[in-house]
Amino acid sequence: DYFKQGLKFYKLDRLSEALEYFEKAIITYPEYKEANFYLGQTYSELNNYNLSLKYYLLSLTIDPAFKEAQNGVCSLITPSFH
């Protein structure tokens, strides 16, 4: 399925290909919280924080208790102290 393909590319750090498959997954099934979440993750890795936030929030719209998406939002709005 599209999500599994996207995850495979994500794990291989082939982010543009991962985006393509995650987007296909949510076109097929818009309520796919994990696909929306991984779109957020991938956009975050690409330093596109606006789109990252958009997809994290979409995941939370689907499932407000989705911890990974909550953590994703927090990582974007909390300053890093490295």
Side-chain angles (χ1 to χ4, degrees):
D1 79 18
Y2 291 130
F3 176 73
K4 288 180 184 175
Q5 280 296 110
L7 202 53
K8 181 180 89 172
F9 286 122
Y10 180 83
K11 290 178 180 179
L12 294 171
D13 204 33
R14 293 168 57 181
L15 300 180
S16 62
E17 290 157 298
L19 284 176
E20 179 183 334
Y21 282 95
F22 293 142
E23 288 170 353
K24 287 179 180 181
I26 64 166
I27 288 169
T28 304
Y29 180 49
E31 300 293 308
Y32 202 155
K33 72 178 183 182
E34 291 86 357
N36 280 288
F37 169 74
Y38 271 99
L39 275 168
Q41 286 287 99
T42 306
Y43 279 118
S44 181
E45 300 248 348
L46 294 169
N47 299 318
N48 189 332
Y49 302 116
N50 289 331
L51 283 175
S52 179
L53 182 60
K54 172 187 172 179
Y55 287 105
Y56 287 149
L57 292 175
L58 281 170
S59 290
L60 290 171
T61 300
I62 298 162
D63 179 2
F66 189 22
K67 290 288 185 201
E68 291 88 347
Q70 291 172 358
N71 292 339
V73 170
C74 288
S75 73
L76 293 176
I77 63 174
T78 304
S80 178
F81 297 102
H82 296 276

